[in-house]
Amino acid sequence: AGECMEEALKWLLSKNEASIAIFDATNTTKKRRSTIHKRCKEVSGITPVFIESICDDPQILSMNYAMKLHNDDYKDKDPETARADFLARVDAYTKRYEAIEDDECDQSIIYVKIINVGRKVVMCRCSGYIMSHIGFYLSNIHINPRRIWLICHGETEEDARFGRLGSVSNRLTTRGKTFINNLAEYLYKARTGMQETGETEGSGLLVLMGTAPVHKATCDFLMG
């Protein structure tokens, strides 16, 4: 772990612009975090930020455990045996883990604490452009499955005339309307299937579109 941290510091020093290195390690004790903080402060221009994830929601934990059983560590192993082994690992970490506190590192520690996968996010001594983006990113993480569909807008009269998509017109052709109708049917069928299989959290439909008239016409017809 020490060698990895030194490599990360070396990489950061080689950059001429603002850069971020992720040091993925189990820094479970205050002593370990203090050592990392002290080493980073010995290097000019390096600001260490600790990210702590805490979860005590039984449902989220159960989902996470199920996902972990698909890792290479448990490939081709009996599910019950694999789960018992993973829970033993969790228990071992829990017994020696020390949660991050504000007074660590002579009251200068910077951290982001994520509780129950983004349900609550605590930021301590975080300021500046980069930290604001890190905080925003971490507050939007999730472990639930999501489905994303990228689609073209419906065909317009100008598209049909010139033989290519890209028009900003809102005058949809019959073929364009048929395409959107089929798309709506597919999306609603997919949503129903997700709900029936228990994917309720990710089954809400959210439509993001451009600002051109053709985008609004497509969305209006889709929602209608």
Side-chain angles (χ1 to χ4, degrees):
E3 293 179 0
C4 289
M5 186 174 71
E6 291 301 323
E7 184 176 349
L9 293 174
K10 182 179 179 180
W11 179 82
L12 286 171
L13 290 174
S14 69
K15 300 299 178 180
N16 296 321
E17 65 281 335
S19 300
I20 298 173
I22 300 176
F23 179 47
D24 185 10
T26 52
N27 305 308
T28 55
T29 65
K30 294 181 179 180
K31 181 178 179 181
R32 175 59 181 162
R33 292 191 290 269
S34 177
T35 299
I36 293 174
H37 186 274
K38 182 179 179 180
R39 177 67 186 100
C40 289
K41 287 301 183 180
E42 293 174 351
V43 183
S44 177
I46 302 297
T47 301
V49 180
F50 293 90
I51 299 174
E52 180 181 51
S53 178
I54 297 176
C55 184
D56 56 10
D57 185 303
Q59 184 176 2
I60 297 177
L61 288 172
S62 180
M63 291 176 57
N64 190 47
Y65 296 159
M67 293 173 61
K68 292 292 185 181
L69 298 186
H70 294 289
N71 289 353
D72 289 341
D73 289 348
Y74 301 114
K75 186 177 181 180
D76 300 326
K77 288 189 177 181
D78 175 69
E80 292 300 323
T81 302
R83 182 181 176 86
D85 178 78
F86 182 74
L87 290 177
R89 294 188 188 186
V90 172
D91 184 61
Y93 276 113
T94 301
K95 289 179 179 178
R96 64 172 180 267
Y97 186 76
E98 298 174 356
I100 295 178
E101 297 181 350
D102 294 358
D103 61 355
E104 290 187 38
C105 305
D106 297 325
Q107 298 187 350
S108 63
I109 189 170
I110 301 174
Y111 70 80
V112 179
K113 191 185 295 277
I114 308 166
I115 301 172
N116 289 326
V117 198
R119 185 176 300 167
K120 180 180 179 180
V121 177
V122 178
M123 301 177 68
C124 179
R125 301 186 182 93
C126 297
S127 62
Y129 177 80
I130 293 180
M131 273 310 308
S132 66
H133 279 264
I134 293 175
F136 176 78
Y137 173 79
L138 292 175
S139 66
N140 285 281
I141 63 174
H142 60 80
I143 62 171
N144 294 313
R146 294 289 193 277
R147 299 190 188 187
I148 299 175
W149 291 279
L150 303 177
I151 65 168
C152 294
H153 57 73
E155 183 186 63
T156 67
E157 295 176 3
E158 286 74 10
D159 294 330
R161 184 181 308 132
F162 296 106
R164 65 176 184 274
L165 290 176
S167 167
V168 297
S169 169
N170 63 353
R171 296 186 294 272
L172 298 173
T173 63
T174 300
R175 186 164 65 173
K177 294 176 181 179
T178 300
F179 163 73
I180 300 171
N181 280 332
N182 291 337
L183 174 64
E185 182 180 350
Y186 172 81
L187 291 176
Y188 285 114
K189 185 179 296 184
R191 182 178 68 173
T192 301
M194 292 171 68
Q195 292 172 338
E196 290 175 349
T197 57
E199 296 181 49
T200 55
E201 186 170 340
S203 63
L205 292 179
L206 174 65
V207 179
L208 303 178
M209 65 177 189
T211 57
V214 66
H215 298 143
K216 185 177 186 305
T218 298
C219 186
D220 289 344
F221 207 82
L222 177 66
M223 304 307 292

